[in-house]
């Protein structure tokens, strides 16, 4: 059960100290948005390169961008330990996943709430993680979509069938109120933004979320 706080909810003017505040987390989740694939613009490769120099924990890059086939591998090359592309934007996901892995990173596929998982199940051997979005990507602070839990279950069952150490990540509206149902559905990596950075102590929020998830291991 791994917690990956999202710096989308952090103070962008003080990212180094915001990273130190979550040093007890497993990952830091970095949302890269290009204002094309999603209607928002956040940060890109130069900032990720800077974060990699100071982050006490590995970086999990979630690329909500068009043409990840071209733009995703450089994040792995820069040293991000996990790189997630959106299946809706990838033109050749097999080659892309292999390119990411060839740079030494974990390759991950994200699916939006409206995207079914079944057509992409055959990609599992190429992947290290599947991210089921529990909000529409593009903005922080949205409400959790419980109707995505059957999809999380579906992914977990497919992973069991295929074997291999493939993680199932959820991102969007994950909090102390919602994390248990995510864990019960089969998720084992949890992205939390405002639930961590909006708390009085980010580190204490990370510990609390991890304990709640562990109590409901699928």
């Amino acid at each position: 059960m791994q917690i990956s706080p999202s710096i989308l909810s952090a103070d962008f003017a003080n990212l180094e100290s915001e990273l130190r505040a979550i040093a007890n987390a497993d990952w830091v989740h970095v949302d890269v948005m290009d204002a094309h694939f999603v209607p928002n613009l956040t940060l890109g490769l130069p900032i990720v390169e800077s974060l990699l120099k100071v982050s006490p924990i590995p970086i999990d890059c979630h690329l909500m961008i068009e043409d990840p086939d071209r733009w995703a591998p450089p994040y792995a090359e820069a040293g991000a330990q996990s790189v997630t592309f959106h299946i809706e934007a990838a033109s050749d996901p097999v080659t892309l996943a292999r390119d990411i892995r060839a740079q030494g990173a974990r390759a991950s596929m994200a699916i939006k709430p409206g995207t079914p998982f079944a057509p992409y199940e055959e990609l599992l051997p190429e992947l290290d993680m599947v991210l089921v979005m529990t909000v529409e990507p593009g903005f922080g602070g949205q409400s959790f979509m419980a109707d995505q839990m059957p999809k999380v279950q579906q992914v977990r069952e497919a992973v069991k069938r295929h074997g291999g150490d493939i993680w199932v990540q959820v991102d969007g509206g994950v909090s102390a109120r919602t994390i248990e149902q995510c864990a019960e559905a089969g998720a084992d990596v949890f992205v939390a933004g405002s639930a961590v950075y909006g708390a009085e102590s980010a580190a204490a929020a990370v510990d609390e979320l991890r304990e709640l998830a562990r109590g409901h291991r699928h």
Side-chain angles (χ1 to χ4, degrees), residues 5 17-27 56-57 197 202-203 206 210:
S17 61
E18 293 283 60
L19 289 175
R20 280 201 299 267
I22 56 160
N24 61 321
D26 301 278
W27 294 85
I57 50 178
Y197 280 113
V206 167
R210 198 185 283 115

Side-chain angles (χ1 to χ4, degrees), residues 35-59:
H36 293 282
F37 181 70
V38 288
N40 203 348
L41 184 66
T42 52
L43 46 80
L45 189 56
I47 298 200
V48 170
E49 287 171 336
S50 301
L51 295 174
L52 282 160
K53 290 189 185 110
V54 299
S55 180
I57 50 178
I59 288 185

Side-chain angles (χ1 to χ4, degrees), residues 27 81-83 100-101 104-108 128-129 165-167:
W27 294 85
Q81 289 90 338
S82 178
V83 176
I100 290 169
R101 281 177 159 180
R106 296 177 63 88
S108 167
D128 300 292
M129 183 165 76
D165 181 24
I166 302 169
W167 301 346

Side-chain angles (χ1 to χ4, degrees), residues 7-31:
I7 60 163
L8 193 59
S9 303
D11 175 3
F12 272 27
N14 294 292
L15 285 176
E16 186 175 358
S17 61
E18 293 283 60
L19 289 175
R20 280 201 299 267
I22 56 160
N24 61 321
D26 301 278
W27 294 85
V28 54
H29 189 84
V30 177
D31 291 298

Side-chain angles (χ1 to χ4, degrees), residues 35 96 133 143 148:
L96 174 52
M133 291 298 296
S143 296
Q148 295 301 301

